Amino acid sequence: MADTAPQDAAKPTVLLPEAEVQRIVADLAAQIAPVIDDETVAAVLLTGGLWFAADLTRALSRIGRNVRFDALWLASYGDEQTSRGRIDVYADFQRSIEGRRVLIVDDVFDTGLSLAEAVRIAKAKGASEVLTVVFAKKPWPLPRAPEPDFVGWEAPNRFLVGYGLDHAGALRGLPDVCALD
């Protein structure tokens, strides 16, 4: 099989090994379970949040919370390393969330644009309550709204890949969270 990796790509530096990722997910599930029920809709923000959402919903199930599942497909980065400053909505909720508690699940909180748009959409669709959880929260020089309700890891201000985080669509499948800088 031919090597298709970019020749100028830096080697990822592991910041958070897979075992620590899984410990963080289990801890988040334990924090979230008491404030949701089985009628809660866990709504993943695609594409990056998919890995975290899969692990989180399984962790919730292990402790007796079997949430419903849906997705929003939002994008603010495209293939760039910085946000374009706007959100594109590629796909909306697939089912009605009216009158339901919604748990928005995302991989990383940096500018806050995607999370804010997801909360706005969920409220506009009639969610009775909107909670948010992110696997990683990066430092940001300006105030962001809304801040996530649950945060797994306070990440460094580095370009992250792995566990759903990508570089132009690549490296999402790494089991560890890595820096690519």
mmCIF file of all heavy atoms in Angstrom, residues 160-166 170-178:
data_model
loop_
_atom_site.group_PDB
_atom_site.id
_atom_site.type_symbol
_atom_site.label_atom_id
_atom_site.label_comp_id
_atom_site.label_asym_id
_atom_site.label_seq_id
_atom_site.Cartn_x
_atom_site.Cartn_y
_atom_site.Cartn_z
ATOM 1 N N LEU A 160 -4.496 20.423 17.723
ATOM 2 C CA LEU A 160 -4.760 19.069 18.176
ATOM 3 C C LEU A 160 -5.291 18.189 17.057
ATOM 4 O O LEU A 160 -6.075 18.625 16.215
ATOM 5 C CB LEU A 160 -5.777 19.084 19.318
ATOM 6 C CG LEU A 160 -5.418 19.937 20.531
ATOM 7 C CD1 LEU A 160 -6.562 19.938 21.540
ATOM 8 C CD2 LEU A 160 -4.126 19.459 21.175
ATOM 9 N N VAL A 161 -4.876 16.917 17.078
ATOM 10 C CA VAL A 161 -5.385 15.900 16.165
ATOM 11 C C VAL A 161 -5.616 14.615 16.955
ATOM 12 O O VAL A 161 -5.106 14.447 18.053
ATOM 13 C CB VAL A 161 -4.420 15.630 14.981
ATOM 14 C CG1 VAL A 161 -4.276 16.854 14.096
ATOM 15 C CG2 VAL A 161 -3.062 15.152 15.468
ATOM 16 N N GLY A 162 -6.379 13.717 16.353
ATOM 17 C CA GLY A 162 -6.689 12.437 16.981
ATOM 18 C C GLY A 162 -7.975 12.521 17.773
ATOM 19 O O GLY A 162 -8.459 13.610 18.096
ATOM 20 N N TYR A 163 -8.562 11.369 18.019
ATOM 21 C CA TYR A 163 -9.821 11.247 18.750
ATOM 22 C C TYR A 163 -10.887 12.201 18.188
ATOM 23 O O TYR A 163 -11.568 12.915 18.898
ATOM 24 C CB TYR A 163 -9.604 11.463 20.248
ATOM 25 C CG TYR A 163 -10.758 10.941 21.076
ATOM 26 C CD1 TYR A 163 -11.125 9.618 21.004
ATOM 27 C CD2 TYR A 163 -11.479 11.778 21.913
ATOM 28 C CE1 TYR A 163 -12.192 9.133 21.744
ATOM 29 C CE2 TYR A 163 -12.546 11.309 22.656
ATOM 30 C CZ TYR A 163 -12.899 9.988 22.565
ATOM 31 O OH TYR A 163 -13.962 9.515 23.291
ATOM 32 N N GLY A 164 -10.973 12.226 16.852
ATOM 33 C CA GLY A 164 -11.960 13.049 16.173
ATOM 34 C C GLY A 164 -11.436 14.374 15.677
ATOM 35 O O GLY A 164 -12.004 14.973 14.763
ATOM 36 N N LEU A 165 -10.373 14.866 16.256
ATOM 37 C CA LEU A 165 -9.774 16.137 15.836
ATOM 38 C C LEU A 165 -8.911 15.883 14.606
ATOM 39 O O LEU A 165 -8.226 14.868 14.529
ATOM 40 C CB LEU A 165 -8.935 16.710 16.978
ATOM 41 C CG LEU A 165 -9.728 16.984 18.252
ATOM 42 C CD1 LEU A 165 -8.827 16.925 19.469
ATOM 43 C CD2 LEU A 165 -10.413 18.318 18.153
ATOM 44 N N ASP A 166 -8.948 16.823 13.650
ATOM 45 C CA ASP A 166 -8.303 16.512 12.386
ATOM 46 C C ASP A 166 -7.424 17.632 11.858
ATOM 47 O O ASP A 166 -7.481 18.761 12.317
ATOM 48 C CB ASP A 166 -9.367 16.201 11.334
ATOM 49 C CG ASP A 166 -10.105 17.435 10.868
ATOM 50 O OD1 ASP A 166 -10.683 18.153 11.710
ATOM 51 O OD2 ASP A 166 -10.121 17.693 9.659
ATOM 52 N N ALA A 170 -7.629 14.554 7.983
ATOM 53 C CA ALA A 170 -6.718 13.450 8.308
ATOM 54 C C ALA A 170 -6.476 13.372 9.818
ATOM 55 O O ALA A 170 -6.642 14.350 10.538
ATOM 56 C CB ALA A 170 -5.386 13.641 7.586
ATOM 57 N N LEU A 171 -6.064 12.215 10.261
ATOM 58 C CA LEU A 171 -5.609 11.927 11.627
ATOM 59 C C LEU A 171 -6.733 11.872 12.662
ATOM 60 O O LEU A 171 -6.455 11.742 13.851
ATOM 61 C CB LEU A 171 -4.512 12.913 12.069
ATOM 62 C CG LEU A 171 -3.282 12.966 11.164
ATOM 63 C CD1 LEU A 171 -2.338 14.078 11.609
ATOM 64 C CD2 LEU A 171 -2.557 11.623 11.156
ATOM 65 N N ARG A 172 -7.997 11.944 12.256
ATOM 66 C CA ARG A 172 -9.117 11.851 13.213
ATOM 67 C C ARG A 172 -9.110 10.519 13.965
ATOM 68 O O ARG A 172 -9.518 10.452 15.101
ATOM 69 C CB ARG A 172 -10.456 11.975 12.498
ATOM 70 C CG ARG A 172 -10.821 13.355 12.059
ATOM 71 C CD ARG A 172 -12.298 13.378 11.627
ATOM 72 N NE ARG A 172 -12.655 14.541 10.860
ATOM 73 C CZ ARG A 172 -13.009 15.710 11.384
ATOM 74 N NH1 ARG A 172 -13.023 15.879 12.682
ATOM 75 N NH2 ARG A 172 -13.339 16.711 10.600
ATOM 76 N N GLY A 173 -8.703 9.461 13.297
ATOM 77 C CA GLY A 173 -8.788 8.118 13.862
ATOM 78 C C GLY A 173 -7.723 7.750 14.855
ATOM 79 O O GLY A 173 -7.774 6.652 15.420
ATOM 80 N N LEU A 174 -6.769 8.633 15.117
ATOM 81 C CA LEU A 174 -5.762 8.322 16.139
ATOM 82 C C LEU A 174 -6.467 8.111 17.482
ATOM 83 O O LEU A 174 -7.345 8.891 17.852
ATOM 84 C CB LEU A 174 -4.746 9.455 16.275
ATOM 85 C CG LEU A 174 -3.857 9.744 15.067
ATOM 86 C CD1 LEU A 174 -3.026 11.007 15.327
ATOM 87 C CD2 LEU A 174 -2.975 8.564 14.758
ATOM 88 N N PRO A 175 -6.098 7.081 18.238
ATOM 89 C CA PRO A 175 -6.767 6.832 19.520
ATOM 90 C C PRO A 175 -6.348 7.795 20.631
ATOM 91 O O PRO A 175 -7.034 7.938 21.634
ATOM 92 C CB PRO A 175 -6.375 5.403 19.865
ATOM 93 C CG PRO A 175 -5.062 5.211 19.164
ATOM 94 C CD PRO A 175 -5.137 6.041 17.913
ATOM 95 N N ASP A 176 -5.201 8.448 20.444
ATOM 96 C CA ASP A 176 -4.679 9.416 21.413
ATOM 97 C C ASP A 176 -5.012 10.814 20.928
ATOM 98 O O ASP A 176 -5.253 11.037 19.748
ATOM 99 C CB ASP A 176 -3.145 9.319 21.503
ATOM 100 C CG ASP A 176 -2.642 7.899 21.710
ATOM 101 O OD1 ASP A 176 -3.159 7.214 22.618
ATOM 102 O OD2 ASP A 176 -1.747 7.481 20.951
ATOM 103 N N VAL A 177 -4.995 11.789 21.849
ATOM 104 C CA VAL A 177 -5.057 13.193 21.447
ATOM 105 C C VAL A 177 -3.621 13.662 21.333
ATOM 106 O O VAL A 177 -2.818 13.476 22.253
ATOM 107 C CB VAL A 177 -5.846 14.050 22.457
ATOM 108 C CG1 VAL A 177 -5.803 15.518 22.039
ATOM 109 C CG2 VAL A 177 -7.280 13.565 22.574
ATOM 110 N N CYS A 178 -3.309 14.242 20.180
ATOM 111 C CA CYS A 178 -1.932 14.628 19.876
ATOM 112 C C CYS A 178 -1.863 16.090 19.453
ATOM 113 O O CYS A 178 -2.862 16.671 19.047
ATOM 114 C CB CYS A 178 -1.387 13.774 18.735
ATOM 115 S SG CYS A 178 -1.463 11.990 19.039
#
